[in-house]
Amino acid sequence: MSICILVVLLFIFFTRGGETSLVHALEEAGIAEPVSMHTPLYVGEPWKPGAGSDGFALALENKNYSLYVRPDNTQIALLDKRSGHRWTSNPTKEQLAGETVKGLPLANLQSPFALTYVTTTGKDQTTEKVVNALDPKLEIAMIKNDKGLQISYSFTEKKLGLAIQYELTDKGLKVRVPTDGIKEEGDFVVFSLDLLPYFGAAAAGEDGYIFVPDGPGGLIKFDSKRADLSKGYIHQVYGLDVTNMLNWFRSGERREDIAFPVFGVKRGANAFVAIITRGGDSSNIAAMPPGMKSTFYNVYTSQIYRENYLYQRSRIPPTPIKAVQKERLKTDREIEYRFLSSQDTDYVGMANAYRDYLIETGGLGSPLKPVEHVPLYLKIMGGGFRAAYNQIEYVPTTTFAQATEIVQGLQKKGVANMEVVYYGWQRMGGNKIDKRFPIEAKLGGNSAAKAFVSELRKSDIGVQFYDQLIWLDDSSTSLSPRNSGVRKMDGTVFKDETWFLSKPARTVDLAYQSIQELKKIGVSGMFYDGLGSMVFNDYDPTGLTTREDAIKIYKGLLDYTRRELGTSGVYRGNDYSLNNVDYIDDLPNDSSYDFMIDETVPFYPIVLHGYVSYSFGDGGNLRNDVQTEFLKSIEYGAMPTFFLTYDESRKLMDLNIWFYLFSSQYEKWADRIGKEYGQFDSLAKVFAQKIVGHKKLADKRFETTYEDGTRVIVDYNKGTFDVEGGGGA
């Protein structure tokens, strides 16, 4: 009797209506529940410095840098002792002599921050207003200790406040806004914070540029002649939060979401790169041309503490109401500025500095090992499902036996190194997300899958199985959106027609089931859709799960996958995933085509090459511009990839799959793949090397340089590339 009761109690404890509890899901995979750590505020005696003749006082100093602060308005200046260059948080009095803006914009130009606030009372609570460090009713207090300098601001009339901490490092400056330093004690609350918005601001015509994380990287040049069409560059790191209906309405815009929270400035022979080291998931990166907010070019981070959102007050009428998020996102924000000198003051130097940061902080794994031949990432579509005669029918396009035939055929074409990602393997093509096993019988079932993996292992070819565990269809799952779906700011479940977003812990639960089953098959890894490309807040009334929390859970899942199976892969490769993946497909490689971006550069590939293998686009057989996209892969150091089926691609026309495989039949592409692979393989010796140089030689002619001196010159005009020099791997 007692054993029966215990079993029942355990069942109730670990399940919610038949679903595994989210806490238990994380425990199974050995993933700790996310905990938000807050940086403490400095305590101590007030520091009241006297100003020097230039109005600044020395605050902090180390071997390479000195940090000065103006006691009256808290502007800062950083002296780089190595170069003698002085970076300032704001334009100087002389630089402002010709400024045309007046009033609040002019005051913002002279402040180290601009804080946007809203009211919590009255009719329109979405009206945004701005205060800054020049506010006449502002009280300022400073504390200096052996860690750094803390400046606290108190807007006494509005009962608002914040604190900013500055710390010097061997490589630059850390600027932090502890969440515990934000005070909201009246009718006003913080909406957003522009931090050091004019640090390094430059005038039009200067020698240099702003670097922004548009696609693989974008430059905004100070000497460009530009039409007065741009509204500036301001975009959220890792993309908009889709659970906000305001953002969801914009999600159809053609944009390359920011994959890495980095920006920079080059001014003449000096440069810095800025990395958002905390709170990047709740940050915008903004860059403005002259004429938008001032006569200067400037780039900065705007910290998001609250968002506007739409909610339905009732079902009738259907027009949603705009409101402001009630609760502030209570996470610390931190930006690290690294200052570059000598030969490193360009976007390559910025990429090197960011790679160094990732390595120092454990954000990037071990270097790749040299190879004799580059890997070709072969994606194979097993099949999909469709509705037929009031039933669900699975249509196979590549059985496991046919997949084996494809791989062996490509080997005969000269493809000497491959990794396979297999799609559509789930029972009925994954029509029911929680009933994915056993593996689809029309493909050959579990036994054929096991034989396929085993056969490829003889040739040292790994096989990852693809899974999409974030978007769930309410009409074909027993999982409850109420228990497993992400909630919007108004507490209701986010849904798009019948689809809802899985809570990160539920994604772990589903992945855990896949891993345990696929482990028996012998697969070498999992390739996940969504984990490396989208994050969202979950406003569940029982407890908020922030984008930062989601990132921690996804990283834990990727790590668990590698421990259990060996490898993991993702699309896009947002920077938080870098240390936990072996392969990134569809790495950002194209611009968003903003009016402001003057030149697209391979910043992110430079960071990653030699550490993580990556490829571009959906596949070499699915390019829009065959020659240009092939050459860009060569220029940016990407690996070849193709997405194939054994059967004709028209068989896929009415299937429920997530991919547009308009030309995928193996037989039609085999010769082309063999030829193209040979061209990629001419770069095998640099597979494990860092990219150390990249430059434009002429119009549509670029040079990429590797550690051993190998130069790859890509000429888009001629449609050719050459590999020159180098000592080999």
Side-chain angles (χ1 to χ4, degrees), residues 51 85 97 99 104 122 129 154 212 214 249 339 344 384 449 455 537 584 594 642 650 656-657 670:
H85 187 75
E99 182 56 57
L104 181 62
K129 296 183 179 179
S154 179
V212 290
D214 181 66
F249 292 153
F339 299 93
D344 294 327
E455 182 62 29
N537 294 313
I584 300 169
D594 285 341
F642 289 85
R650 65 180 180 180
N656 283 283
I657 58 174

Side-chain angles (χ1 to χ4, degrees), residues 102-134:
K102 308 291 182 186
L104 181 62
L106 182 59
N108 287 341
L109 255 174
Q110 301 170 75
S111 173
F113 68 88
L115 184 150
T116 301
Y117 66 94
V118 293
T119 180
T120 58
T121 61
K123 273 189 174 180
D124 190 354
Q125 299 178 15
T126 62
T127 301
E128 299 169 14
K129 296 183 179 179
V130 176
V131 289
N132 55 49
L134 274 65

Side-chain angles (χ1 to χ4, degrees), residues 574-617:
N574 287 347
D575 74 322
Y576 57 77
S577 68
L578 296 177
N579 190 38
N580 304 98
V581 296
D582 304 88
Y583 167 55
I584 300 169
D585 192 20
D586 197 24
L587 188 82
N589 65 92
D590 200 6
S591 165
S592 297
Y593 299 96
D594 285 341
F595 285 114
M596 261 191 89
I597 308 299
D598 296 307
E599 185 176 339
T600 296
V601 295
F603 177 95
Y604 208 34
I606 292 171
V607 173
L608 301 187
H609 201 277
Y611 285 85
V612 183
S613 193
Y614 54 87
S615 58
F616 295 160

Side-chain angles (χ1 to χ4, degrees), residues 61-66 79-82 168-170:
E61 188 169 28
N62 66 14
K63 179 183 175 182
N64 293 329
Y65 306 102
S66 299
L79 174 65
D80 187 337
K81 295 180 182 178
R82 302 167 304 171
L168 289 179
T169 71
D170 290 342

Side-chain angles (χ1 to χ4, degrees), residues 672-694:
R672 173 61 185 255
I673 293 172
K675 180 182 176 184
E676 199 167 286
Y677 177 80
Q679 293 174 294
F680 274 102
D681 203 35
S682 66
L683 294 168
K685 67 177 182 178
V686 300
F687 173 76
Q689 296 186 36
K690 297 176 189 172
I691 293 175
V692 297
H694 180 269

Side-chain angles (χ1 to χ4, degrees), residues 350-427:
M350 293 180 192
N352 289 336
Y354 179 46
R355 186 201 302 119
D356 290 345
Y357 163 80
L358 289 172
I359 293 171
E360 291 164 15
T361 56
L364 197 58
S366 302
L368 296 172
K369 294 178 180 177
V371 296
E372 290 187 23
H373 300 282
V374 298
L376 180 146
Y377 289 91
L378 178 63
K379 295 176 282 190
I380 297 176
M381 175 56 73
F385 68 90
R386 65 185 174 197
Y389 306 107
N390 294 322
Q391 291 186 332
I392 298 300
E393 174 190 35
Y394 182 85
V395 179
T397 54
T398 313
T399 65
F400 290 113
Q402 290 168 337
T404 305
E405 188 179 331
I406 290 175
V407 170
Q408 292 173 343
L410 291 178
Q411 286 177 318
K412 291 175 184 174
K413 297 290 182 183
V415 180
N417 187 1
M418 263 181 282
E419 292 287 322
V420 172
V421 182
Y422 196 91
Y423 293 66
W425 51 269
Q426 300 91 335
R427 177 179 175 272

